[in-house]
Amino acid sequence: MRPSLRVGVTLALIVALALSILIPTAAIAKAGPPTVTTGFQVHSEFTPNDSFFSLQWGLTRSQGIDATRAWDATLGNRNVVVAVVDTGVWWTDSDIQANMWSNTDGSHGWDWINNDNNPMDLDSTGKYHGTGVAGVIAAVTNNNTNIAGIAQASLMALRALGPNGEGSSYNTSLAIRWAADHGARIINLSLGTNNTFAGVPTDISLAVNYAWSKGALIVAAAGNSGTASLDYPAALPNVVSVAAVDQSGTKASFSNYGPGLSISAPGVQILTLSANNDVHYLSGTSLATPFVTGVAALLLSVDSTLTNVELWNILNETATPVGSRYNTNYGWGILNAWNAINALNQPFISVNAYPSTVSRSSTFRVGWTILGPAGIPVSDTHVVWGADPNNLGNATPAQSGATRQNFTASDLQIPGSANTLYFKVVATVNGTRYESREYTVTASQLPDFLVELIQLLSSNLLYLALFILVLAAVVAFVPHRRVRAARRQMYRARTVAPAPRYYAGPPPGPPPAHPAQQVQARSAPPPVEFIRPSPPPQPVRAPAPPPPPVAPAKKRCPSCGTLVNADNLFCFFCGNPFR
């Protein structure tokens, strides 16, 4: 090939290669620079180094409550005080001792069984129920020892149950009040009874209401009899009731369920603490309950200003639904720690105040807070409501403000002849619309004054106590007053005409004729000195002793079994009428 031709070919190849590079580049430049997302957060899920963490399925993302992602936000805060009312806690265990709450005297709680300040879990059966519950909540995490607890909080041990796991409601109520008075924000009750009290106040219910009024969240086990009713006190309105699920997310066969159930959590084959720095497996709704308690402690670790109502709303509404949004098998769903923590990083509507029942003629209010980062503008928030859950066509006036602000809608009323009012709270925050879940208010068939009285008594413990005292006095007094009235009626005084004290004189007209009578001679009267002989003296007898007092007849109330007087018309304890 000639030199000139060789040079031409070489130049052509260079030009072709340059065009192959420059043309695609020019095409990209003509289309404009691509949109690149930057600045997003990346992190690894926290995995603790505790020896048996791999066996704690209830904490995992795939089967459990997704605690590992929640731990990326917080492991807990020891300023959050959690009380465990149970058989005590083996508080010298190296995997929990650092998280034990300390009183001013250095003790870690109280023991109502031995009446001292050493609430040690003394269980000869080897179950160590209270220690197991405490381990799920607050075992020390990431210390190369045994298990990981959900929240690194301060654990208050309150021993109200004996070694066999049984105790009195009185000791339990004292422990609940003690916890509230000593700063517990959450009270765990992995205990209960299947007795129902049909709305009758008990020492436990009054203690629960007292703790609730002081801002504590009370969490209790639903029960282990597999029945469609909740144990007591889980059935109380101011208690978060917890059912148990297994590794597949299915309700445990032993778990109670039913109306009023709040939430479900892992409760089958839960690895937790035992005595003497050991671990073992336990099952039951008693073990599901501390999962909820632990997540509530994580929420308070992130935001200590949350109220007990707001905590409860977050736990319920961030649970993973099973089937319909709410059902009596799982409540609002299975506990999810990551969802709960994440709810604090975005606007979240918490409905804090509304009546569940009102009279038809009365009006009511709804109160709510928009949680999330403080200070985000809220351009509009209001209540939408109606008698049909599929057509909430009515709305209260729009309000504006900012997140972390309280809002109230007034003068709501159940419409017309409807029996139920349905409502939601909606809000537009920073241009995005949010809404709460749907709530219901039912119409009461009671007279207005009775509904108002019930609401007054339920909102004020002092009024409730006074009402109970007055009712007991009336029930005890009225039957006796009726009996006295009946006796007075039986022995009523009667008017008797007195004998005449003067001579009225003969009747008018001629005197009646008398037949002739033969006059007989009378014997001479006795002399003046005659004295009638007195009868011989009788021996003096000691007076007979009075008969012993007869105890009033008794009968037993068929409703509550209380012994009352046989003439009572009502049982003074439960109010059951006898006739």
Side-chain angles (χ1 to χ4, degrees):
M1 182 179 293
R2 289 178 298 177
S4 59
L5 182 60
R6 186 183 298 114
V7 172
V9 172
T10 302
L11 290 174
L13 290 174
I14 293 173
V15 171
L17 180 62
L19 289 176
S20 67
I21 296 174
L22 293 176
I23 289 175
T25 305
I28 293 174
K30 186 176 181 180
T35 302
V36 178
T37 302
T38 64
F40 54 89
Q41 184 179 8
V42 293
H43 55 75
S44 61
E45 294 182 15
F46 176 76
T47 302
N49 59 16
D50 300 273
S51 308
F52 300 110
F53 173 72
S54 61
L55 301 178
Q56 293 182 265
W57 70 266
L59 301 179
T60 63
R61 181 177 180 180
S62 58
Q63 294 178 301
I65 65 172
D66 199 359
T68 53
R69 285 199 292 174
W71 286 337
D72 288 329
T74 180
L75 288 176
N77 188 323
R78 289 190 175 89
N79 290 326
V80 178
V81 180
V82 178
V84 172
V85 180
D86 215 289
T87 61
V89 175
W90 195 277
W91 54 266
T92 58
D93 191 303
S94 60
D95 205 20
I96 202 169
Q97 188 171 17
N99 284 343
M100 293 302 299
W101 172 83
S102 291
N103 202 354
T104 54
D105 60 357
S107 62
H108 305 296
W110 192 259
D111 181 350
W112 279 268
I113 303 300
N114 294 328
N115 197 29
D116 59 32
N117 63 355
N118 182 20
M120 178 60 76
D121 190 356
L122 304 173
D123 187 354
S124 58
T125 66
K127 183 174 290 186
Y128 298 100
H129 187 271
T131 302
V133 169
V136 173
I137 299 170
V140 179
T141 297
N142 209 40
N143 64 341
N144 281 301
T145 304
N146 289 340
I147 65 169
I150 295 173
Q152 302 308 287
S154 293
L155 193 107
M156 178 189 294
L158 302 176
R159 187 175 184 234
L161 305 180
N164 58 357
E166 297 182 358
S168 70
S169 64
Y170 178 67
N171 284 343
T172 303
S173 67
L174 292 179
I176 294 171
R177 291 177 180 272
W178 200 93
D181 289 338
H182 287 78
R185 294 294 308 274
I186 310 164
I187 302 175
N188 190 97
L189 302 177
S190 292
L191 50 82
T193 173
N194 56 12
N195 292 330
T196 58
F197 297 94
V200 177
T202 67
D203 45 9
I204 288 183
S205 68
L206 294 178
V208 164
N209 291 340
Y210 174 77
W212 177 268
S213 69
K214 299 203 73 171
L217 181 74
I218 301 94
V219 189
N224 298 325
S225 58
T227 58
S229 61
L230 304 180
D231 272 7
Y232 191 92
L236 290 173
N238 285 342
V239 174
V240 181
S241 52
V242 186
V245 295
D246 59 19
Q247 291 92 328
S248 67
T250 304
K251 179 176 66 67
S253 60
F254 56 77
S255 178
N256 286 14
Y257 57 98
L261 177 64
S262 296
I263 199 169
S264 300
V268 177
Q269 288 295 297
I270 303 302
L271 185 66
T272 187
L273 299 182
S274 182
N276 299 313
N277 300 314
D278 203 356
V279 296
H280 61 171
Y281 286 97
L282 293 175
S283 298
T285 56
S286 288
L287 276 299
T289 303
F291 277 87
V292 178
T293 298
V295 174
L298 286 180
L299 288 170
L300 286 175
S301 299
V302 175
D303 185 356
S304 61
T305 67
L306 293 172
T307 67
N308 48 11
V309 177
E310 292 167 348
L311 282 173
W312 198 344
N313 284 338
I314 293 172
L315 292 170
N316 283 349
E317 296 190 33
T318 60
T320 304
V322 180
S324 61
R325 186 63 187 94
Y326 179 86
N327 60 76
T328 56
N329 285 328
Y330 297 91
W332 290 100
I334 299 175
L335 177 71
N336 190 298
W338 166 243
N339 287 351
I341 294 297
N342 198 42
L344 298 179
N345 296 323
Q346 57 189 347
F348 178 89
I349 300 173
S350 174
V351 177
N352 301 330
Y354 73 98
S356 58
T357 304
V358 295
S359 61
R360 292 186 179 277
S361 61
S362 63
T363 60
F364 61 91
R365 297 185 297 174
V366 174
W368 68 96
T369 304
I370 302 176
L371 303 175
I376 303 177
V378 178
S379 59
D380 171 38
T381 183
H382 59 276
V383 176
V384 293
W385 58 275
D388 182 356
N390 299 315
N391 183 23
L392 304 182
N394 305 286
T396 61
Q399 304 176 54
S400 61
T403 52
R404 297 297 179 132
Q405 182 178 333
N406 295 323
F407 299 91
T408 301
S410 304
D411 299 326
L412 289 164
Q413 187 174 15
I414 294 182
S417 59
N419 293 321
T420 305
L421 180 143
Y422 304 87
F423 76 89
K424 292 181 179 180
V425 175
V426 298
T428 302
V429 183
N430 211 19
T432 303
R433 178 185 170 91
Y434 299 88
E435 64 179 37
S436 71
R437 67 174 176 87
E438 187 175 272
Y439 293 84
T440 60
V441 179
T442 58
S444 172
Q445 305 303 320
L446 297 174
D448 291 355
F449 77 94
L450 282 181
V451 175
E452 297 295 335
L453 177 61
I454 292 172
Q455 292 178 352
L456 175 65
L457 296 178
S458 62
S459 64
N460 193 302
L461 291 179
L462 176 60
Y463 291 158
L464 176 61
L466 291 175
F467 177 76
I468 293 174
L469 290 175
V470 171
L471 181 62
V474 170
V475 170
F477 173 73
V478 169
H480 292 289
R481 184 173 181 181
R482 289 182 176 178
V483 170
R484 289 196 298 269
R487 288 172 179 169
R488 286 196 298 269
Q489 183 70 18
M490 182 180 300
Y491 301 106
R492 185 171 52 187
R494 293 176 174 81
T495 304
V496 179
R501 300 192 180 188
Y502 59 89
Y503 177 66
H514 294 280
Q517 295 182 355
Q518 185 177 0
V519 179
Q520 299 179 353
R522 296 182 180 180
S523 59
V528 177
E529 292 84 1
F530 175 80
I531 300 175
R532 187 181 300 275
S534 58
Q538 299 292 328
V540 179
R541 297 180 180 178
V550 180
K554 297 285 187 178
K555 61 183 177 183
R556 189 174 296 277
C557 174
S559 177
C560 68
T562 304
L563 282 175
V564 298
N565 290 342
D567 54 5
N568 276 19
L569 300 179
F570 300 88
C571 174
F572 70 86
F573 182 76
C574 68
N576 178 59
F578 295 135
R579 56 178 182 271

